[in-house]
Amino acid sequence: MGSASQAVKWTEHVDEVLARAGLKRGGARQRIIDLLAYESCALSAVEIEDMLRDQGTPAGRASIYRVLDLLVDHGLVERVSVGQGLARFERTHPDGEHHHHLVCEHCGVLMAFDDPELEEAIESLPERLGVRVEHHDVVLRGACPDCED
Amino acid sequence: MGSASQAVKWTEHVDEVLARAGLKRGGARQRIIDLLAYESCALSAVEIEDMLRDQGTPAGRASIYRVLDLLVDHGLVERVSVGQGLARFERTHPDGEHHHHLVCEHCGVLMAFDDPELEEAIESLPERLGVRVEHHDVVLRGACPDCED
DNA sequence: ATACGTGCAAAGTATTTGCAAACGG
DNA sequence: CCGTTTGCAAATACTTTGCACGTAT
């Protein structure tokens, strides 16, 4: 499945969930959803604001934060804390698949990665610790392949 | 080795590193270092400010942030991002040992944990991904043993 | 018609910076 | 002495909230 059709699928899923919750559609929210649908990696609220303004369809900062909160509450978007004093957001995959992040300490870029062995270690953690785990975040800090050289 | 002697050892290590860097000692910094030495888990800047005031030896907020930055720069303290809109700090262990955190979504408490299997999965990650990894952070979100019931 | 959605402006909270005074080696 | 450390106040950055108006169903 190509990323474009994944994006469409996610958008439809979002619309359905929100409609089912009795919510109405609005311009700013739809544009934010469209942005997130085609963006594979985490965006900050301010980046979203800039991108919307640049494409000629600006939205109020408050609306952006409210929409992101709403989407997080419905499990459609995930808040990613990479610890740079701001929150980042990215769409969740309907099938539960997800990835983690590497922050390059040299160029600051955020890179996504995915690792079954790590995932498995985390899956089995709750029973070893005797706690219930709802979500997990792994953030690596180091050098991306480009800066590695 | 008891935790008290570990704390003393860490304090001495910090003093030595800073002295070697040509820095001078100051009241506020020493008190912050003492606090961190005896605190096993991550504190925020504001919590440190409150604790210092409560023990009758207040320090300016700016100094607290500056001292924490300094300690992070020298690798003596680690910045822990649990994603609640604030940064938390805890001392690093000289021998490289470290732990991760679970944030209880019910009571908000921060709980430390340590897991060899997880650590091993992370250790072997860099070669699989082709990146260099300097630090890593794992944050779990769920319910602590107290709230589990 | 009646919620819900949006934008603006103001408030709130965490953190950083500038500067002058105090202090340590 | 000279450079570091400190505290205060002001500035900055991200995020939240209050409120009046617009809009979808």
Side-chain angles (χ1 to χ4, degrees):
Chain A
M1 186 168 57
S3 77
S5 74
Q6 266 190 43
V8 171
K9 197 178 156 196
W10 180 77
T11 304
E12 285 169 0
H13 179 230
V14 170
D15 285 347
E16 188 193 321
V17 168
L18 297 183
R20 188 161 307 193
L23 301 180
K24 303 175 181 177
R25 301 160 56 101
R29 191 164 74 202
Q30 292 305 316
R31 294 193 303 263
I32 293 170
I33 291 169
D34 279 349
L35 248 195
L36 290 170
Y38 283 95
E39 200 64 36
S40 59
C41 213
L43 295 177
S44 69
V46 177
E47 283 166 354
I48 292 172
E49 186 180 14
D50 290 345
M51 292 169 80
L52 289 176
R53 190 188 15 257
D54 289 352
Q55 75 183 31
T57 57
R61 205 177 306 148
S63 300
I64 295 172
Y65 282 108
R66 274 181 302 222
V67 167
L68 290 171
D69 256 14
L70 177 74
L71 296 176
V72 169
D73 283 350
H74 287 79
L76 301 162
V77 157
E78 185 179 1
R79 195 184 303 261
V80 176
S81 304
V82 293
Q84 305 155 182
L86 55 73
R88 291 181 171 278
F89 302 84
E90 71 185 18
R91 66 184 228 252
T92 55
H93 292 245
D95 52 16
E97 172 211 337
H98 71 157
H99 61 241
H100 297 295
H101 297 93
L102 168 78
V103 181
C104 177
E105 291 187 314
H106 190 261
C107 67
V109 80
L110 197 64
M111 176 188 146
F113 73 87
D114 173 16
D115 186 76
E117 186 172 329
L118 174 62
E119 218 54 43
E120 149 120 31
I122 293 175
E123 293 289 302
S124 58
L125 210 45
E127 66 183 69
R128 271 178 278 150
L129 300 178
V131 298
R132 181 161 48 82
V133 174
E134 224 62 69
H135 307 291
H136 62 264
D137 263 321
V138 177
V139 179
L140 307 182
R141 258 164 258 283
C144 67
D146 287 349
C147 294
E148 173 64 338
D149 322 309
Chain B
M1 185 168 58
S3 76
S5 73
Q6 266 190 42
V8 171
K9 195 179 157 197
W10 180 77
T11 304
E12 286 169 359
H13 179 230
V14 170
D15 286 347
E16 188 192 321
V17 169
L18 296 182
R20 189 161 307 193
L23 301 180
K24 304 176 178 177
R25 302 160 55 101
R29 191 164 73 202
Q30 292 304 315
R31 293 190 306 259
I32 293 170
I33 291 169
D34 279 349
L35 249 195
L36 291 170
Y38 283 95
E39 200 64 35
S40 59
C41 213
L43 296 176
S44 69
V46 176
E47 283 167 353
I48 292 172
E49 185 181 14
D50 291 344
M51 291 170 80
L52 289 176
R53 189 188 16 257
D54 289 353
Q55 74 184 33
T57 57
R61 204 180 306 149
S63 300
I64 295 172
Y65 281 108
R66 274 180 302 220
V67 167
L68 290 172
D69 256 13
L70 177 75
L71 296 176
V72 169
D73 283 350
H74 286 79
L76 301 162
V77 157
E78 186 179 1
R79 196 184 302 260
V80 176
S81 304
V82 293
Q84 305 156 183
L86 53 73
R88 292 181 170 280
F89 302 84
E90 70 185 20
R91 66 183 228 253
T92 55
H93 292 245
D95 52 16
E97 173 212 336
H98 71 157
H99 61 243
H100 296 296
H101 298 92
L102 169 78
V103 181
C104 178
E105 291 187 316
H106 189 262
C107 68
V109 80
L110 197 65
M111 175 187 147
F113 72 88
D114 175 16
D115 185 76
E117 186 173 329
L118 174 65
E119 218 54 43
E120 148 117 32
I122 293 175
E123 294 288 303
S124 58
L125 209 44
E127 66 182 66
R128 270 178 278 150
L129 300 177
V131 297
R132 182 161 46 82
V133 174
E134 224 62 70
H135 308 291
H136 61 265
D137 262 321
V138 177
V139 179
L140 307 182
R141 259 163 258 283
C144 66
D146 287 350
C147 294
E148 173 62 338
D149 323 310

